[in-house]
Amino acid sequence: DIDWSQFSPVATMSLGTDGRSVAVLIDDPQAAKASEAVYAWVDRDRNVIRVGTSLKAVGRRLRQYQGHITQSLNGKPKPTPYEEALRWVEVLRRGDLIAMVHVPKAIDTAIGPVRPYLDMERHMIANLKPSLLTGATDEKAAPKGTACRRVSKPASGQGERN
């Protein structure tokens, strides 16, 4: 199970009033400076929409969603394909998303301390089945028409997953 009490809300993503733009606001500027972090975009029902990582400041990575999705929606070539941008709009029409961020502790290894944030991302994708999958393929995402896994609010310091 994932201990969501170790994640912090760092940013909010919302749909513009025109329905063709996305805004990402950093809610915790200090936490946004974290690097080697794993993040999950979560909706108001606590469904995990997307999981990703950032080697450098996570706030910068989260803000990239704004430009990539908005520009794609407006016909400009961006890393976010147009079809995926439309899926983001569909999710955002139901409400804002919150970016939950975690910086794992470094683990001593034979090559020195290493943060296992990429391993955490792989585990989260496999277990939570986000509806918008990180990366170029969607074959690991929840099948169309099915719900992705929902996470519960941590109670008394313990994370849990529904």
PDB file of all heavy atoms in Angstrom, residues 79-101:
ATOM      1  N   PRO A  79       4.857  18.258 -26.684  1.00  0.00           N
ATOM      2  CA  PRO A  79       5.013  16.857 -26.268  1.00  0.00           C
ATOM      3  C   PRO A  79       3.687  16.168 -25.924  1.00  0.00           C
ATOM      4  O   PRO A  79       3.597  14.956 -25.988  1.00  0.00           O
ATOM      5  CB  PRO A  79       5.897  16.948 -25.019  1.00  0.00           C
ATOM      6  CG  PRO A  79       6.623  18.243 -25.157  1.00  0.00           C
ATOM      7  CD  PRO A  79       5.688  19.151 -25.887  1.00  0.00           C
ATOM      8  N   THR A  80       2.669  16.937 -25.558  1.00  0.00           N
ATOM      9  CA  THR A  80       1.367  16.343 -25.257  1.00  0.00           C
ATOM     10  C   THR A  80       0.576  16.221 -26.556  1.00  0.00           C
ATOM     11  O   THR A  80       0.229  17.226 -27.165  1.00  0.00           O
ATOM     12  CB  THR A  80       0.573  17.225 -24.259  1.00  0.00           C
ATOM     13  OG1 THR A  80       1.347  17.355 -23.069  1.00  0.00           O
ATOM     14  CG2 THR A  80      -0.774  16.614 -23.934  1.00  0.00           C
ATOM     15  N   PRO A  81       0.264  15.004 -26.999  1.00  0.00           N
ATOM     16  CA  PRO A  81      -0.534  14.844 -28.215  1.00  0.00           C
ATOM     17  C   PRO A  81      -1.930  15.451 -28.040  1.00  0.00           C
ATOM     18  O   PRO A  81      -2.465  15.499 -26.926  1.00  0.00           O
ATOM     19  CB  PRO A  81      -0.631  13.323 -28.393  1.00  0.00           C
ATOM     20  CG  PRO A  81       0.448  12.753 -27.533  1.00  0.00           C
ATOM     21  CD  PRO A  81       0.664  13.725 -26.422  1.00  0.00           C
ATOM     22  N   TYR A  82      -2.523  15.886 -29.123  1.00  0.00           N
ATOM     23  CA  TYR A  82      -3.840  16.533 -29.091  1.00  0.00           C
ATOM     24  C   TYR A  82      -4.889  15.645 -28.427  1.00  0.00           C
ATOM     25  O   TYR A  82      -5.674  16.113 -27.603  1.00  0.00           O
ATOM     26  CB  TYR A  82      -4.275  16.905 -30.514  1.00  0.00           C
ATOM     27  CG  TYR A  82      -5.619  17.585 -30.567  1.00  0.00           C
ATOM     28  CD1 TYR A  82      -5.774  18.891 -30.097  1.00  0.00           C
ATOM     29  CD2 TYR A  82      -6.739  16.932 -31.072  1.00  0.00           C
ATOM     30  CE1 TYR A  82      -7.011  19.523 -30.140  1.00  0.00           C
ATOM     31  CE2 TYR A  82      -7.969  17.558 -31.118  1.00  0.00           C
ATOM     32  CZ  TYR A  82      -8.100  18.856 -30.653  1.00  0.00           C
ATOM     33  OH  TYR A  82      -9.321  19.475 -30.684  1.00  0.00           O
ATOM     34  N   GLU A  83      -4.893  14.355 -28.752  1.00  0.00           N
ATOM     35  CA  GLU A  83      -5.887  13.438 -28.177  1.00  0.00           C
ATOM     36  C   GLU A  83      -5.737  13.354 -26.658  1.00  0.00           C
ATOM     37  O   GLU A  83      -6.717  13.294 -25.930  1.00  0.00           O
ATOM     38  CB  GLU A  83      -5.771  12.034 -28.789  1.00  0.00           C
ATOM     39  CG  GLU A  83      -6.109  11.976 -30.269  1.00  0.00           C
ATOM     40  CD  GLU A  83      -4.992  12.526 -31.165  1.00  0.00           C
ATOM     41  OE1 GLU A  83      -3.808  12.573 -30.734  1.00  0.00           O
ATOM     42  OE2 GLU A  83      -5.313  12.928 -32.293  1.00  0.00           O
ATOM     43  N   GLU A  84      -4.503  13.350 -26.178  1.00  0.00           N
ATOM     44  CA  GLU A  84      -4.270  13.331 -24.733  1.00  0.00           C
ATOM     45  C   GLU A  84      -4.714  14.640 -24.097  1.00  0.00           C
ATOM     46  O   GLU A  84      -5.304  14.654 -23.012  1.00  0.00           O
ATOM     47  CB  GLU A  84      -2.801  13.080 -24.423  1.00  0.00           C
ATOM     48  CG  GLU A  84      -2.522  13.034 -22.928  1.00  0.00           C
ATOM     49  CD  GLU A  84      -1.048  12.872 -22.599  1.00  0.00           C
ATOM     50  OE1 GLU A  84      -0.329  12.177 -23.347  1.00  0.00           O
ATOM     51  OE2 GLU A  84      -0.633  13.453 -21.589  1.00  0.00           O
ATOM     52  N   ALA A  85      -4.447  15.760 -24.767  1.00  0.00           N
ATOM     53  CA  ALA A  85      -4.872  17.063 -24.247  1.00  0.00           C
ATOM     54  C   ALA A  85      -6.391  17.099 -24.086  1.00  0.00           C
ATOM     55  O   ALA A  85      -6.910  17.639 -23.098  1.00  0.00           O
ATOM     56  CB  ALA A  85      -4.399  18.182 -25.170  1.00  0.00           C
ATOM     57  N   LEU A  86      -7.108  16.500 -25.037  1.00  0.00           N
ATOM     58  CA  LEU A  86      -8.571  16.434 -24.919  1.00  0.00           C
ATOM     59  C   LEU A  86      -8.990  15.598 -23.706  1.00  0.00           C
ATOM     60  O   LEU A  86      -9.987  15.915 -23.044  1.00  0.00           O
ATOM     61  CB  LEU A  86      -9.190  15.853 -26.192  1.00  0.00           C
ATOM     62  CG  LEU A  86      -9.111  16.732 -27.436  1.00  0.00           C
ATOM     63  CD1 LEU A  86      -9.673  15.993 -28.647  1.00  0.00           C
ATOM     64  CD2 LEU A  86      -9.831  18.059 -27.220  1.00  0.00           C
ATOM     65  N   ARG A  87      -8.234  14.550 -23.418  1.00  0.00           N
ATOM     66  CA  ARG A  87      -8.533  13.726 -22.238  1.00  0.00           C
ATOM     67  C   ARG A  87      -8.308  14.518 -20.951  1.00  0.00           C
ATOM     68  O   ARG A  87      -9.052  14.380 -19.980  1.00  0.00           O
ATOM     69  CB  ARG A  87      -7.706  12.444 -22.261  1.00  0.00           C
ATOM     70  CG  ARG A  87      -8.182  11.504 -23.382  1.00  0.00           C
ATOM     71  CD  ARG A  87      -7.278  10.303 -23.616  1.00  0.00           C
ATOM     72  NE  ARG A  87      -7.098   9.496 -22.432  1.00  0.00           N
ATOM     73  CZ  ARG A  87      -6.053   8.693 -22.253  1.00  0.00           C
ATOM     74  NH1 ARG A  87      -5.117   8.595 -23.190  1.00  0.00           N
ATOM     75  NH2 ARG A  87      -5.959   7.975 -21.155  1.00  0.00           N
ATOM     76  N   TRP A  88      -7.259  15.363 -20.930  1.00  0.00           N
ATOM     77  CA  TRP A  88      -7.039  16.234 -19.775  1.00  0.00           C
ATOM     78  C   TRP A  88      -8.235  17.172 -19.587  1.00  0.00           C
ATOM     79  O   TRP A  88      -8.698  17.369 -18.454  1.00  0.00           O
ATOM     80  CB  TRP A  88      -5.762  17.060 -19.951  1.00  0.00           C
ATOM     81  CG  TRP A  88      -4.503  16.320 -19.626  1.00  0.00           C
ATOM     82  CD1 TRP A  88      -3.607  15.800 -20.513  1.00  0.00           C
ATOM     83  CD2 TRP A  88      -3.993  16.019 -18.329  1.00  0.00           C
ATOM     84  NE1 TRP A  88      -2.578  15.195 -19.844  1.00  0.00           N
ATOM     85  CE2 TRP A  88      -2.775  15.322 -18.497  1.00  0.00           C
ATOM     86  CE3 TRP A  88      -4.438  16.277 -17.029  1.00  0.00           C
ATOM     87  CZ2 TRP A  88      -2.015  14.878 -17.422  1.00  0.00           C
ATOM     88  CZ3 TRP A  88      -3.671  15.839 -15.959  1.00  0.00           C
ATOM     89  CH2 TRP A  88      -2.486  15.150 -16.158  1.00  0.00           C
ATOM     90  N   VAL A  89      -8.725  17.747 -20.674  1.00  0.00           N
ATOM     91  CA  VAL A  89      -9.881  18.654 -20.595  1.00  0.00           C
ATOM     92  C   VAL A  89     -11.084  17.912 -20.022  1.00  0.00           C
ATOM     93  O   VAL A  89     -11.791  18.429 -19.142  1.00  0.00           O
ATOM     94  CB  VAL A  89     -10.215  19.261 -21.978  1.00  0.00           C
ATOM     95  CG1 VAL A  89     -11.572  19.947 -21.973  1.00  0.00           C
ATOM     96  CG2 VAL A  89      -9.123  20.232 -22.409  1.00  0.00           C
ATOM     97  N   GLU A  90     -11.303  16.696 -20.492  1.00  0.00           N
ATOM     98  CA  GLU A  90     -12.426  15.894 -19.997  1.00  0.00           C
ATOM     99  C   GLU A  90     -12.330  15.689 -18.477  1.00  0.00           C
ATOM    100  O   GLU A  90     -13.318  15.844 -17.757  1.00  0.00           O
ATOM    101  CB  GLU A  90     -12.421  14.540 -20.711  1.00  0.00           C
ATOM    102  CG  GLU A  90     -13.543  13.617 -20.323  1.00  0.00           C
ATOM    103  CD  GLU A  90     -13.436  12.288 -21.069  1.00  0.00           C
ATOM    104  OE1 GLU A  90     -13.033  12.279 -22.245  1.00  0.00           O
ATOM    105  OE2 GLU A  90     -13.745  11.266 -20.430  1.00  0.00           O
ATOM    106  N   VAL A  91     -11.144  15.385 -17.990  1.00  0.00           N
ATOM    107  CA  VAL A  91     -10.938  15.195 -16.549  1.00  0.00           C
ATOM    108  C   VAL A  91     -11.143  16.515 -15.804  1.00  0.00           C
ATOM    109  O   VAL A  91     -11.811  16.562 -14.770  1.00  0.00           O
ATOM    110  CB  VAL A  91      -9.529  14.620 -16.276  1.00  0.00           C
ATOM    111  CG1 VAL A  91      -9.188  14.678 -14.804  1.00  0.00           C
ATOM    112  CG2 VAL A  91      -9.424  13.195 -16.800  1.00  0.00           C
ATOM    113  N   LEU A  92     -10.587  17.595 -16.328  1.00  0.00           N
ATOM    114  CA  LEU A  92     -10.654  18.889 -15.651  1.00  0.00           C
ATOM    115  C   LEU A  92     -12.058  19.495 -15.654  1.00  0.00           C
ATOM    116  O   LEU A  92     -12.365  20.328 -14.799  1.00  0.00           O
ATOM    117  CB  LEU A  92      -9.642  19.859 -16.256  1.00  0.00           C
ATOM    118  CG  LEU A  92      -8.184  19.521 -15.921  1.00  0.00           C
ATOM    119  CD1 LEU A  92      -7.228  20.272 -16.830  1.00  0.00           C
ATOM    120  CD2 LEU A  92      -7.893  19.807 -14.452  1.00  0.00           C
ATOM    121  N   ARG A  93     -12.894  19.083 -16.579  1.00  0.00           N
ATOM    122  CA  ARG A  93     -14.288  19.563 -16.562  1.00  0.00           C
ATOM    123  C   ARG A  93     -15.015  19.089 -15.306  1.00  0.00           C
ATOM    124  O   ARG A  93     -15.993  19.688 -14.884  1.00  0.00           O
ATOM    125  CB  ARG A  93     -15.040  19.100 -17.804  1.00  0.00           C
ATOM    126  CG  ARG A  93     -14.702  19.921 -19.019  1.00  0.00           C
ATOM    127  CD  ARG A  93     -15.694  19.710 -20.150  1.00  0.00           C
ATOM    128  NE  ARG A  93     -15.356  20.617 -21.227  1.00  0.00           N
ATOM    129  CZ  ARG A  93     -15.107  20.255 -22.468  1.00  0.00           C
ATOM    130  NH1 ARG A  93     -15.194  18.984 -22.819  1.00  0.00           N
ATOM    131  NH2 ARG A  93     -14.797  21.145 -23.381  1.00  0.00           N
ATOM    132  N   ARG A  94     -14.539  18.013 -14.712  1.00  0.00           N
ATOM    133  CA  ARG A  94     -15.148  17.486 -13.476  1.00  0.00           C
ATOM    134  C   ARG A  94     -14.597  18.174 -12.231  1.00  0.00           C
ATOM    135  O   ARG A  94     -15.116  17.986 -11.138  1.00  0.00           O
ATOM    136  CB  ARG A  94     -14.930  15.977 -13.385  1.00  0.00           C
ATOM    137  CG  ARG A  94     -15.629  15.218 -14.512  1.00  0.00           C
ATOM    138  CD  ARG A  94     -15.607  13.720 -14.301  1.00  0.00           C
ATOM    139  NE  ARG A  94     -14.282  13.128 -14.265  1.00  0.00           N
ATOM    140  CZ  ARG A  94     -13.685  12.539 -15.308  1.00  0.00           C
ATOM    141  NH1 ARG A  94     -14.298  12.448 -16.460  1.00  0.00           N
ATOM    142  NH2 ARG A  94     -12.483  12.023 -15.169  1.00  0.00           N
ATOM    143  N   GLY A  95     -13.520  18.943 -12.383  1.00  0.00           N
ATOM    144  CA  GLY A  95     -12.940  19.662 -11.244  1.00  0.00           C
ATOM    145  C   GLY A  95     -11.426  19.735 -11.317  1.00  0.00           C
ATOM    146  O   GLY A  95     -10.793  19.090 -12.139  1.00  0.00           O
ATOM    147  N   ASP A  96     -10.871  20.547 -10.439  1.00  0.00           N
ATOM    148  CA  ASP A  96      -9.425  20.747 -10.386  1.00  0.00           C
ATOM    149  C   ASP A  96      -8.697  19.477  -9.961  1.00  0.00           C
ATOM    150  O   ASP A  96      -9.271  18.591  -9.333  1.00  0.00           O
ATOM    151  CB  ASP A  96      -9.082  21.853  -9.393  1.00  0.00           C
ATOM    152  CG  ASP A  96      -9.581  23.223  -9.835  1.00  0.00           C
ATOM    153  OD1 ASP A  96     -10.067  23.349 -10.983  1.00  0.00           O
ATOM    154  OD2 ASP A  96      -9.491  24.158  -9.022  1.00  0.00           O
ATOM    155  N   LEU A  97      -7.414  19.444 -10.289  1.00  0.00           N
ATOM    156  CA  LEU A  97      -6.534  18.351  -9.866  1.00  0.00           C
ATOM    157  C   LEU A  97      -5.492  18.899  -8.892  1.00  0.00           C
ATOM    158  O   LEU A  97      -5.103  20.063  -8.987  1.00  0.00           O
ATOM    159  CB  LEU A  97      -5.812  17.735 -11.065  1.00  0.00           C
ATOM    160  CG  LEU A  97      -6.684  17.171 -12.188  1.00  0.00           C
ATOM    161  CD1 LEU A  97      -5.810  16.652 -13.323  1.00  0.00           C
ATOM    162  CD2 LEU A  97      -7.596  16.082 -11.663  1.00  0.00           C
ATOM    163  N   ILE A  98      -5.047  18.050  -7.994  1.00  0.00           N
ATOM    164  CA  ILE A  98      -4.001  18.406  -7.042  1.00  0.00           C
ATOM    165  C   ILE A  98      -2.783  17.538  -7.331  1.00  0.00           C
ATOM    166  O   ILE A  98      -2.909  16.320  -7.503  1.00  0.00           O
ATOM    167  CB  ILE A  98      -4.458  18.153  -5.583  1.00  0.00           C
ATOM    168  CG1 ILE A  98      -5.725  18.933  -5.263  1.00  0.00           C
ATOM    169  CG2 ILE A  98      -3.338  18.477  -4.592  1.00  0.00           C
ATOM    170  CD1 ILE A  98      -5.570  20.427  -5.276  1.00  0.00           C
ATOM    171  N   ALA A  99      -1.610  18.161  -7.371  1.00  0.00           N
ATOM    172  CA  ALA A  99      -0.358  17.409  -7.523  1.00  0.00           C
ATOM    173  C   ALA A  99       0.158  17.057  -6.141  1.00  0.00           C
ATOM    174  O   ALA A  99       0.493  17.934  -5.345  1.00  0.00           O
ATOM    175  CB  ALA A  99       0.676  18.231  -8.279  1.00  0.00           C
ATOM    176  N   MET A 100       0.188  15.752  -5.851  1.00  0.00           N
ATOM    177  CA  MET A 100       0.720  15.236  -4.594  1.00  0.00           C
ATOM    178  C   MET A 100       2.157  14.794  -4.856  1.00  0.00           C
ATOM    179  O   MET A 100       2.397  13.997  -5.776  1.00  0.00           O
ATOM    180  CB  MET A 100      -0.132  14.068  -4.096  1.00  0.00           C
ATOM    181  CG  MET A 100      -1.591  14.413  -3.861  1.00  0.00           C
ATOM    182  SD  MET A 100      -1.840  15.612  -2.551  1.00  0.00           S
ATOM    183  CE  MET A 100      -1.380  14.634  -1.123  1.00  0.00           C
ATOM    184  N   VAL A 101       3.106  15.300  -4.060  1.00  0.00           N
ATOM    185  CA  VAL A 101       4.532  15.094  -4.322  1.00  0.00           C
ATOM    186  C   VAL A 101       5.204  14.411  -3.130  1.00  0.00           C
ATOM    187  O   VAL A 101       4.905  14.714  -1.978  1.00  0.00           O
ATOM    188  CB  VAL A 101       5.216  16.452  -4.607  1.00  0.00           C
ATOM    189  CG1 VAL A 101       6.717  16.284  -4.755  1.00  0.00           C
ATOM    190  CG2 VAL A 101       4.618  17.098  -5.852  1.00  0.00           C
TER     191      VAL A 101
END
